[in-house]
Amino acid sequence: MNISKILLQNPIPLYTIISREKGKNPNCYFIDEPEFTPYETENFIANVAQGGSVNCEYIRFCAHGNGTHTECFGHVSKSFYSIQNVKIPFLMLAQLITIEHEETSTQYPIHYLPIQKIKNGVPALIVRVEYDLQYKIKYNFDGKNFSGKNPPFFTKSLIQRLKAIGIQHLLTNLPSIDPEKDDGKLEAHLAFWGMQNRESIPLYPNDTITELCQIPDTLEDGLYALHLGLSPFESDAVPSMPVLFNLD
């Protein structure tokens, strides 16, 4: 990728903001809403509106259920592994592809992507799925509750085809690449990292999955430069701020 061809003036965010307001965040797996609580002792509260001298608060959230997040193989590994140990380029070439997906069963498997349209050598693929799920989902979903709704997911065989063509970083507006209910199999996740089970060594330890992306309706399919923007937590998954840049 030619750095001089990247138009840095107009970044295109692909992430949700973890909102203070209840009902403003997407929700998955019945995970609690984020909580913002001021630090407090017997004689002090860190909230200026309540008489304190400063504002200083605890923030409680779950990366997997409260917004855009990026995860590494530690998400499905028996041994702890932090995403901070993953070697990720600061900028990489990415391709955005949009597919329409109809409800076809109780679960909604995605078997097909136009892989022939993916450019050779592109390490990052952004899959924007448009679908109906008791309400119309068209790319964006501020405040949408996915819990118990069985959203679409990618099949294991599709993930294996993406790995075969060299996709290292997968981003999607879906809550997960696996079914909401699959008895804990997570076959697509395991396939993405090249793991046979929770104890095996991954074939692709530096690859990532980013879910719950917020992709602008007006953004056209095509090639972009991508910065994943991971937050600095020692965890298998962290809130992230993926940003795209147009190419000249």
Side-chain angles (χ1 to χ4, degrees), residues 20 37-41 43-58:
R20 305 177 72 87
T37 308
Y39 167 69
E40 186 173 3
T41 66
N43 301 312
F44 174 76
I45 184 168
N47 184 289
V48 175
Q50 298 182 47
S53 57
V54 295
N55 295 309
C56 177
E57 60 189 7
Y58 293 105

Side-chain angles (χ1 to χ4, degrees), residues 26 46 57 61 85 103 118-119 123 169 177 179 209-210 215 218-219 231 234 242-243:
E57 60 189 7
F61 65 92
N85 295 326
E103 295 183 5
I118 300 173
K119 303 295 184 181
H169 304 278
I177 68 169
I209 299 170
T210 302
I215 305 172
T218 56
L219 190 62
S231 53
E234 283 281 357
V243 175

Side-chain angles (χ1 to χ4, degrees), residues 24-107:
K24 288 288 187 179
N25 300 292
N27 180 269
C28 310
Y29 315 113
F30 302 97
I31 289 172
D32 294 338
E33 287 265 4
E35 295 179 3
F36 298 78
T37 308
Y39 167 69
E40 186 173 3
T41 66
E42 184 178 351
N43 301 312
F44 174 76
I45 184 168
N47 184 289
V48 175
Q50 298 182 47
S53 57
V54 295
N55 295 309
C56 177
E57 60 189 7
Y58 293 105
I59 302 175
R60 180 179 182 270
F61 65 92
C62 176
H64 292 282
N66 293 145
T68 307
H69 60 279
T70 300
E71 53 198 33
C72 70
F73 77 86
H75 181 41
V76 293
S77 175
K78 185 175 182 179
S79 300
F80 173 77
Y81 194 83
S82 171
I83 197 168
Q84 303 304 329
N85 295 326
V86 175
K87 297 177 176 62
I88 302 173
F90 184 79
L91 286 170
M92 67 186 91
L93 190 63
Q95 184 169 351
L96 171 63
I97 288 180
T98 300
I99 62 170
E100 294 184 1
H101 186 65
E102 300 293 335
E103 295 183 5
T104 57
S105 63
T106 303
Q107 302 275 355

Side-chain angles (χ1 to χ4, degrees), residues 110 153-161 178 187-188 191 196:
I110 298 172
F153 59 91
F154 300 125
T155 61
K156 175 182 176 180
S157 60
L158 176 56
I159 293 297
Q160 289 172 330
R161 291 197 294 274
D178 269 301
E187 292 180 337
Q196 297 298 319

